[in-house]
Amino acid sequence: MNRFFDPKSIAVIGASPDPMKGGHSILYNLLQGYRGTIYPVNPKYDKILDLPCYPSILDIPGPVDLAIVFVPAKQVPSIVRACAQKGIPGVIVESGGFAETGAEGLALQQQLVNIVRTTGIRIWGPNCMGLVDARRRYVFSFLTPSVWNFGLTPGTVSLIVQSGMLAGGFLIDIMSHGRMGISKALSIGNKADVNETELLEYLIQDPETEAIGMYLESIEDGRRFLELCAASPKPIAVLKGGKSRGGARAALSHTASMAGDHAVVRSGLLQAGAVEVDDFRQLLDVSRGLSMFPNASKASRGRTAILTFSGGAGIVSADFLEANGLELAELSNGTVEVLRRIFPEWMPVTNPVDLWPAVERNGGQIAYETAMMAVAEDPNVDMVLLHLYSGGFALNFDMKRAIDALHRAGKPVFAWLLGDRDHAQQTMQEIQALGVPVLRELQRAADVMKAVVERGRWVSQVGHRKPETLFIELPKHMAGLLGNGRGMLNEHLSKQILAEAGIPVVMEQAVNSAEEAVQAARSFGYPVVLKGLMRNVLHKSEQGLVRMHLRTEQEVRSAFEQMACRIGNQDTIVVQQQIEGRTELIAGVVRDPQFGVCVMAGMGGVLTEVLNDKVFLVAPFDEVQARYMIGRLRSRKILEGFRGEQPLDVNGFARILVRMGHLAMSYPGIQEMDINPFIVKDGQPIAVDANIVLR
């Protein structure tokens, strides 16, 4: 990777003297900041921008570390072969016209993949805008040269962006508005070879990067990607394109990327400590905030003090915080007493703290600094949201001393800024230089605060864990079935396998006669359930194959005879102990094409599809990770003992999920697993219905 980021010499294949051509922009951008040797390549010219121009890559006399290719797509494979012949280790192909265009372009891209496999050369792209390093002033891209009018502002956030033009738009927007600086911006396009996982690994090790923002339409090596996220000491924010069906189609046509089930991606990112965002500006703002507060574990409760110059703005801020799962801090008595000294007697001290009466009485410097120093010492306050105005209202003052006090106390500080354009932009840059993210919208301020708190919670509750994989040994006949069988196993056999794997299941017995059914009912105790298990019938209740609340021998005999007539001699009838409980859960296993074995958990029973409240865990995981993800369910209050119900034994459910993951990893023949529902009895989840599907 280092040859891409710090080459000693670069060839520009497709260089042009025409300012309207991308080959000219690449060459011009290199000349502005790159200090190595530059070789333009184009057989039409002897010299471009005062540099000697070569007819082909093979005519260059010296060694070349990196080639940037910007020629029509059909010419690219032969040029890359020549680069390999020249001994160039890496090529950035910025040309479009490959897999994103259809079958012909896909065939051209496959040629590039084959060249990589046969020669060992590395290819970045195609269909990308290359690499920008603001700290070194490297622009290896056809990015519009107007970026130099604003200057490349160095920063600590690095970006990986799958869309080429979007990467360019990011940079122009960032630089022209002075919103933030960047370290590196990497546009990866179609990912024929170099992908986001390799670049993520590079940036995690990069000393000039403190936070990473990513826009992705697919994830190539999903398991490795999540392992890197979970191990990274640097926070990572991800915007995933292709969440909806329409979005997935757009991703396919744009960069030939296959978007998977987003519920799996969302949960995988959450499990690995990455923060998911919903739009492009949010990605930038959240990445900037995370770079300033990368591991704010002390703020994990999210108790916030709002210091404002406007009562209305304070109320709206409180609404946004609550909507994002944060809360207003209950100010301590000590803080209230300090604030009373600067407030007029008629003004009560509450949070949000409307400082305007104190500003009128004491001036902005005393009012704000006193309040900030007080909440810095308040044990009930985890973080602070400042409301600032620049350009008037006597609110221009030095905040460094107070901000330093908050930072020493481990309390993140965020600012919402109003004001006239010129003053506000200057103030934003000054405040951000003190380590405070400045936002221009209250909703976005709440979004960034939520992201910092989520990262802090993950660090404090989960941390950088690498769980081990345990092999579950089943009896030989069951192991053989899972290795050689096909299709759906019936409920009774599925639950036998689960029980052997240490997963609690309901007591039940397969029966062949009414008398056997009665004997089973006596042994379990009434009431009981009788089920007919027919091949390839998944939803038994809808087919009339479940009889519940059987309380007498006569009811059991009658139900058996009716069921036997319904299903015939080729299928199975079982009698189950009836489990009473109001809370129902669902758990299952899928094999995701990006992440492998994933275990799902959520609210079950008839509400499964109605609530659609579920999380996924990428296996292997441990009980700590499982508990953390269970706590992310929207309906978690039900599990905590809603309206007098006994709370779920979360540790026990976490152990079940871990065992399910180990079972699926131990036996690759398991394609899917569905346990719906687990009925919670006395706090313990018991599987009463289950199906295992083999490949």
Side-chain angles (χ1 to χ4, degrees):
M1 287 293 105
N2 205 49
R3 293 294 182 94
F4 286 111
F5 288 91
D6 194 22
K8 300 300 183 288
S9 56
I10 299 177
V12 180
I13 304 174
S16 171
D18 184 349
M20 302 302 295
K21 301 288 187 180
H24 179 276
S25 296
I26 295 171
L27 199 57
Y28 179 88
N29 289 333
L30 286 174
L31 288 168
Q32 302 313 299
Y34 178 66
R35 294 293 174 259
T37 306
I38 303 171
Y39 299 107
V41 177
N42 191 322
K44 297 179 181 179
Y45 307 100
D46 295 326
K47 184 175 286 191
I48 301 177
L49 295 181
D50 294 327
L51 293 173
C53 188
Y54 298 86
S56 78
I57 191 69
L58 297 176
D59 293 311
I60 294 175
V64 178
D65 286 339
L66 176 67
I68 302 175
V69 177
F70 196 77
V71 299
K74 291 183 179 180
Q75 301 176 25
V76 171
S78 62
I79 286 174
V80 174
R81 288 191 189 95
C83 289
Q85 183 180 347
K86 174 71 175 173
I88 300 173
V91 178
I92 299 177
V93 180
E94 301 186 10
S95 314
F98 292 88
E100 78 280 3
T101 64
E104 184 177 352
L106 181 61
L108 286 172
Q109 186 164 312
Q110 186 58 45
Q111 290 186 47
L112 299 183
V113 174
N114 294 338
I115 294 169
V116 169
R117 291 172 179 169
T118 56
T119 68
I121 196 172
R122 300 305 308 273
I123 296 178
W124 181 311
N127 186 35
C128 71
M129 289 194 71
L131 180 159
V132 174
D133 185 334
R135 287 177 170 265
R136 289 182 173 84
R137 293 174 56 84
Y138 288 177
V139 178
F140 302 166
S141 172
F142 64 90
L143 181 69
T144 173
S146 65
V147 70
W148 299 102
N149 298 336
F150 316 112
L152 287 177
T153 306
T156 60
V157 173
S158 287
L159 303 172
I160 300 174
V161 184
Q162 194 164 341
S163 169
M165 294 306 294
L166 182 60
F170 271 156
L171 287 171
I172 297 300
D173 183 84
I174 292 168
M175 299 305 169
S176 63
H177 290 85
R179 295 169 61 88
M180 59 185 283
I182 64 159
S183 177
K184 296 171 179 65
L186 316 177
S187 167
I188 56 178
N190 291 12
K191 305 185 296 185
D193 177 26
V194 174
N195 62 42
E196 68 287 338
T197 303
E198 291 179 279
L199 295 178
L200 175 61
E201 186 168 12
Y202 181 90
L203 292 178
I204 289 172
Q205 302 298 323
D206 177 27
E208 297 174 344
T209 296
E210 295 181 9
I212 301 163
M214 310 179 76
Y215 167 69
L216 302 174
E217 292 163 5
S218 67
I219 301 174
E220 295 297 320
D221 186 354
R223 183 170 294 277
R224 177 60 179 158
F225 180 85
L226 293 184
E227 288 175 353
L228 289 169
C229 289
S232 173
K234 303 174 183 179
I236 298 164
V238 178
L239 171 59
K240 176 64 170 62
K243 299 177 185 179
S244 64
R245 292 183 180 179
R249 287 195 297 271
L252 182 62
S253 63
H254 181 45
T255 57
S257 301
M258 295 298 293
D261 178 2
H262 187 68
V264 177
V265 177
R266 179 187 299 114
S267 292
L269 294 173
L270 188 62
Q271 177 186 344
V275 176
E276 187 181 17
V277 300
D278 297 316
D279 70 37
F280 299 115
R281 286 191 180 274
Q282 186 185 26
L283 176 64
L284 298 176
D285 289 332
V286 166
S287 299
R288 174 166 47 114
L290 289 171
S291 72
M292 296 178 180
F293 308 112
N295 296 302
S297 56
K298 290 183 179 180
S300 61
R301 293 182 62 182
R303 299 173 300 174
T304 305
I306 301 173
L307 307 181
T308 182
F309 58 82
S310 162
I315 292 170
V316 173
S317 296
D319 292 341
F320 282 135
L321 292 180
E322 183 175 331
N324 277 4
L326 308 176
E327 62 181 271
L328 287 180
E330 186 73 31
L331 300 179
S332 69
N333 292 334
T335 298
V336 172
E337 287 302 316
V338 170
L339 293 178
R340 279 178 178 160
R341 298 171 195 161
I342 61 171
F343 274 67
E345 292 183 1
W346 54 264
M347 181 70 180
V349 178
T350 59
N351 187 23
V353 182
D354 184 354
L355 287 169
W356 186 249
V359 171
E360 288 185 321
R361 186 182 186 196
N362 306 280
Q365 182 77 46
I366 292 176
Y368 268 82
E369 187 170 281
T370 300
M372 292 167 68
M373 299 295 283
V375 296
E377 299 295 328
D378 193 328
N380 297 341
V381 174
D382 299 319
M383 58 185 181
V384 178
L385 174 59
L386 299 175
H387 290 180
L388 304 176
Y389 189 94
S390 182
F393 292 171
L395 289 179
N396 298 308
F397 46 85
D398 184 2
M399 305 180 67
K400 185 177 187 309
R401 178 170 173 267
I403 288 172
D404 286 346
L406 286 161
H407 285 167
R408 284 195 303 271
K411 299 183 179 185
V413 191
F414 307 84
W416 171 61
L417 177 65
L418 290 180
D420 66 73
R421 184 185 63 186
D422 294 338
H423 284 97
Q425 184 163 342
Q426 180 180 349
T427 299
M428 178 174 66
Q429 293 171 350
E430 292 172 353
I431 298 298
Q432 288 187 164
L434 298 176
V436 176
V438 178
L439 293 309
R440 302 305 302 273
E441 300 89 22
L442 278 173
Q443 173 68 73
R444 184 52 47 78
D447 292 342
V448 176
M449 295 170 73
K450 176 185 178 182
V452 169
V453 169
E454 284 183 347
R455 173 69 179 178
R457 286 173 179 167
W458 182 85
V459 170
S460 62
Q461 296 179 28
V462 180
H464 308 289
R465 312 181 68 83
K466 190 172 183 179
E468 61 180 335
T469 303
L470 300 178
F471 181 79
I472 292 181
E473 187 170 359
L474 297 176
K476 288 184 178 180
H477 68 284
M478 290 184 179
L481 174 64
L482 295 182
N484 302 309
R486 292 184 179 181
M488 183 185 300
L489 304 182
N490 72 29
E491 175 185 336
H492 184 55
L493 182 53
S494 296
K495 282 188 285 192
Q496 286 179 309
I497 293 170
L498 295 176
E500 290 287 348
I503 297 167
V505 301
V506 64
M507 289 191 297
E508 67 180 26
Q509 180 180 327
V511 295
N512 295 310
S513 67
E515 188 59 36
E516 287 185 9
V518 169
Q519 290 176 358
R522 288 173 185 162
S523 66
F524 297 150
Y526 292 99
V528 296
V529 178
L530 189 140
K531 293 182 178 179
L533 310 182
M534 297 182 68
R535 293 180 183 84
N536 300 318
V537 175
L538 185 60
H539 300 291
K540 295 179 286 295
S541 297
E542 297 174 5
Q543 301 297 323
L545 298 175
V546 179
R547 296 288 304 277
M548 300 180 65
H549 308 295
L550 303 177
R551 302 181 181 277
T552 67
E553 292 186 5
Q554 182 56 42
E555 288 180 352
V556 172
R557 292 180 189 275
S558 175
F560 178 88
E561 291 168 357
Q562 293 174 21
M563 193 70 69
C565 291
R566 183 173 180 79
I567 70 172
N569 298 325
Q570 303 301 314
D571 293 296
T572 304
I573 297 175
V574 297
V575 176
Q576 292 181 351
Q577 179 188 42
Q578 183 160 318
I579 304 296
E580 303 292 348
R582 293 174 59 185
T583 301
E584 297 185 354
L585 304 169
I586 185 172
V589 168
V590 295
R591 291 188 183 271
D592 183 79
Q594 296 179 93
F595 303 122
V597 172
C598 296
V599 178
M600 180 265 290
M603 303 305 298
V606 296
L607 296 178
T608 299
E609 296 180 2
V610 175
L611 295 178
N612 194 29
D613 188 10
K614 60 189 177 183
V615 293
F616 288 84
L617 289 117
V618 178
F621 52 89
D622 59 20
E623 292 181 28
V624 172
Q625 292 168 315
R627 287 195 299 270
Y628 178 77
M629 294 299 289
I630 294 168
R632 307 281 74 76
L633 290 168
R634 299 191 305 275
S635 308
R636 57 187 175 275
K637 287 188 177 180
I638 296 176
L639 307 181
E640 294 168 355
F642 187 69
R643 292 191 175 180
E645 286 289 309
Q646 185 165 348
L648 170 71
D649 177 2
V650 176
N651 292 331
F653 192 42
R655 283 192 293 273
I656 289 170
L657 299 179
V658 171
R659 298 292 287 179
M660 291 175 64
H662 289 322
L663 177 62
M665 295 190 76
S666 299
Y667 297 94
I670 297 175
Q671 180 67 27
E672 299 175 24
M673 193 185 302
D674 185 69
I675 306 175
N676 187 22
F678 276 102
I679 294 180
V680 180
K681 180 180 180 182
D682 299 328
Q684 303 302 314
I686 301 172
V688 300
D689 196 349
N691 288 101
I692 293 175
V693 179
L694 305 181
R695 293 181 183 232

